[in-house]
Amino acid sequence: MADRIKMDTPLVEMDGDEMTRVIWEKVKELLIEPFVELKTEYFDLGLNERERTKDEATVRAAEAIRRYGVGVKCATITPNEERVREYGLSEMYKSPNGTIRAMLGGTVFRAPILVKGIVPYIPTWKKPITIARHAYGDIYKNTEALVPPGGAAELVVTAADGGETRLPVHTFEGTAGIVQGVHNTDESIESFARSCMAFAIDTRQDLWFGTKDTISKTYDRRFRDIFQEVYDAEYADRFRDAGIEYFYTLIDDIVARVVRSEGGFIWACKNYDGDVMSDMVATAYGSLAMMSSVLVSPDGYYEYEAAHGTVQKHYIKYMKGEPTSTNSVATIYAWAGALRKRGELDGLGKLADFGLKLEIACVKAIEGGVMTGDLYEISRLDLKQKTDTVTFILEVGERLRGII
Ligand code: NAP
Ligand code: MG
């Protein structure tokens, strides 16, 4: 086609596994390539290719994101023992998302995709609640032990000069018990604060943050103080200019306010809070298949993906030749987000606009009653039809042609 939208810098494209790999190819073929002269640097992160390259493929993809700035990733299998057998792996490779996040740093923002007809369990939630999870430290990098009866635990901090500070934790008299040591770093918390504040400005949404600093007067208090320092020193003016607000309160108070809210803000969460609350928020909005996700690094790199996995159960049906009705919306949004960001960074208005229209086309299809099985089951529209995986993508293509 002569008048396809041109690109400048390539996108870093990371292919993946199972049903999402099937969807990936169809989304490109039916929704992107007819409209965009797609330029990508392609990395196959499918498990076979990770095995063939001893996981070098993942590392090279992360390096390419550092080079180009924007990536889009398909869901991938994180190997467990079953997968090691299934794919004859020579190693239990780490999660590609974990490897990429470790190389880029930054924060994952997850936001639900809202459509008419799918009513959240909390009906007052009219706008998306975006969860930002601090993906470093706390209990995810803990040291813990069982303590026998009569044992005692102390916290010992050794300074660079060898000086020791010893703090009693507990003496276990007459009972066994447990003890746990956790840590975080100023550097990681600062970087988390910056990612959240930059994303709030980028998306023009208020930023909420809560910890348990009334109880944890040093540990959680440090999070609160660092956020406030970063805000005062670097973001207060920019928030004012953008007409948005930074809001800190106790985590309990935040939870109560979130439930009563209309949505439409970013909720920064400590690691554990983010782990738990993101599942709660995703479920409350109706479907994991309608969650988008973006990793934003403090150096300004962006990686877009769907929040769900490879949808293995549907893939097994697909491989048997049975019909499937797998929701491609979060994968389409990943492409849309990446193309929009690429367009913004390269000053290509048409490309950025295309990303937005791709999202609108998805919403139009579903609000017009065309949807995959997962949404069909929960949609309250009177007129609705359930489509198979590929028909849904074709229907989005129809709507896209109508608005482009
Ligand atoms: P999953 O792929 O998210 O799927 C779990 C269930 O959720 C599916 O069986 C399906 O339910 C429903 N579902 C999820 N996405 C859907 C979609 N797009 N359309 C319709 N239904 C959808 O999680 P999993 O089965 O636990 O994990 C499968 C593989 O994905 C694992 O190997 C895991 O390592 C990997 N994973 C990767 C990522 C990532 O790359 N970011 C994230 C999570 C998991 P029904 O069967 O009831 O229809
Ligand atoms: Mg979780």
Side-chain angles (χ1 to χ4, degrees), residues 73 75-78 83 97 288-289 305 307-311 313-314 326-327 374:
K73 180 179 168 294
T76 46
I77 293 167
T78 300
R83 299 298 201 165
N97 288 44
L288 181 61
E305 64 167 347
H308 61 75
T310 61
V311 211
K313 283 198 198 115
H314 294 209
T326 313
N327 191 332
D374 56 316

Side-chain angles (χ1 to χ4, degrees), residues 110 133 140 271-280:
R110 273 181 159 203
R133 173 178 171 190
Y140 302 86
N271 209 347
Y272 176 80
D273 299 340
D275 185 350
V276 177
M277 291 302 163
S278 63
D279 288 320
M280 192 270 285

Side-chain angles (χ1 to χ4, degrees), residues 113-152:
I113 298 155
L114 303 193
V115 289
K116 284 195 201 87
I118 314 282
V119 181
Y121 284 90
I122 299 181
T124 49
W125 287 2
K126 302 256 180 329
K127 298 179 207 160
I129 294 169
T130 301
I131 292 217
R133 173 178 171 190
H134 182 216
Y136 179 81
D138 299 354
I139 61 162
Y140 302 86
K141 273 244 190 289
N142 66 3
T143 307
E144 49 183 29
L146 292 169
V147 185

Side-chain angles (χ1 to χ4, degrees), residues 1-236:
M1 252 180 269
D3 51 355
R4 288 191 305 167
I5 297 163
K6 298 227 172 0
M7 291 182 66
D8 186 358
T9 318
L11 271 184
V12 179
E13 174 187 352
M14 291 159 279
D15 209 342
D17 289 301
E18 300 194 312
M19 202 58 203
T20 41
R21 188 179 179 100
V22 175
I23 287 174
W24 194 259
E25 199 195 321
K26 285 289 165 196
V27 167
K28 274 175 65 178
E29 176 198 328
L30 301 172
L31 296 181
I32 318 256
E33 283 167 339
F35 308 98
V36 178
E37 266 182 43
L38 188 62
K39 266 197 198 173
T40 74
E41 188 145 324
Y42 177 88
F43 294 90
D44 187 353
L45 303 193
L47 196 44
N48 287 323
E49 193 58 16
R50 277 183 274 152
E51 167 66 17
R52 197 187 66 77
T53 63
K54 302 283 176 256
D55 212 19
E56 259 305 301
T58 309
V59 173
R60 284 205 308 272
E63 285 166 356
I65 300 177
R66 280 204 203 133
R67 213 161 41 246
Y68 295 115
V70 184
V72 57
K73 180 179 168 294
C74 179
T76 46
I77 293 167
T78 300
N80 53 18
E81 270 158 34
E82 267 166 34
R83 299 298 201 165
V84 168
R85 278 195 303 278
E86 184 186 345
Y87 284 81
L89 303 181
S90 53
E91 244 182 88
M92 200 186 291
Y93 301 104
K94 287 193 191 130
S95 140
N97 288 44
T99 303
I100 294 167
R101 201 184 309 142
M103 287 180 65
L104 301 183
T107 302
V108 174
F109 296 87
R110 273 181 159 203
I113 298 155
L114 303 193
V115 289
K116 284 195 201 87
I118 314 282
V119 181
Y121 284 90
I122 299 181
T124 49
W125 287 2
K126 302 256 180 329
K127 298 179 207 160
I129 294 169
T130 301
I131 292 217
R133 173 178 171 190
H134 182 216
Y136 179 81
D138 299 354
I139 61 162
Y140 302 86
K141 273 244 190 289
N142 66 3
T143 307
E144 49 183 29
L146 292 169
V147 185
E154 275 183 280
L155 189 62
V156 181
V157 179
T158 314
D161 67 4
E164 273 185 6
T165 312
R166 306 182 84 90
L167 303 160
V169 175
H170 192 71
T171 304
F172 295 82
E173 276 161 15
T175 172
I178 41 188
V179 65
Q180 180 181 56
V182 296
H183 81 280
N184 225 296
T185 69
D186 284 6
E187 188 183 26
S188 175
I189 300 166
E190 267 174 41
S191 147
F192 176 51
R194 283 200 187 93
S195 294
C196 292
M197 290 174 197
F199 196 72
I201 289 171
D202 213 23
T203 59
R204 292 196 173 250
Q205 297 183 88
D206 291 344
L207 175 64
W208 294 15
F209 182 44
T211 71
K212 195 72 187 174
D213 64 304
T214 44
I215 300 295
S216 173
K217 291 187 167 64
T218 304
Y219 197 102
D220 276 23
R221 179 75 206 191
R222 191 84 194 133
F223 278 82
R224 176 182 181 170
D225 288 346
I226 288 177
F227 262 68
Q228 195 62 48
E229 282 161 23
V230 170
Y231 177 73
D232 290 341
E234 301 169 35
Y235 288 95

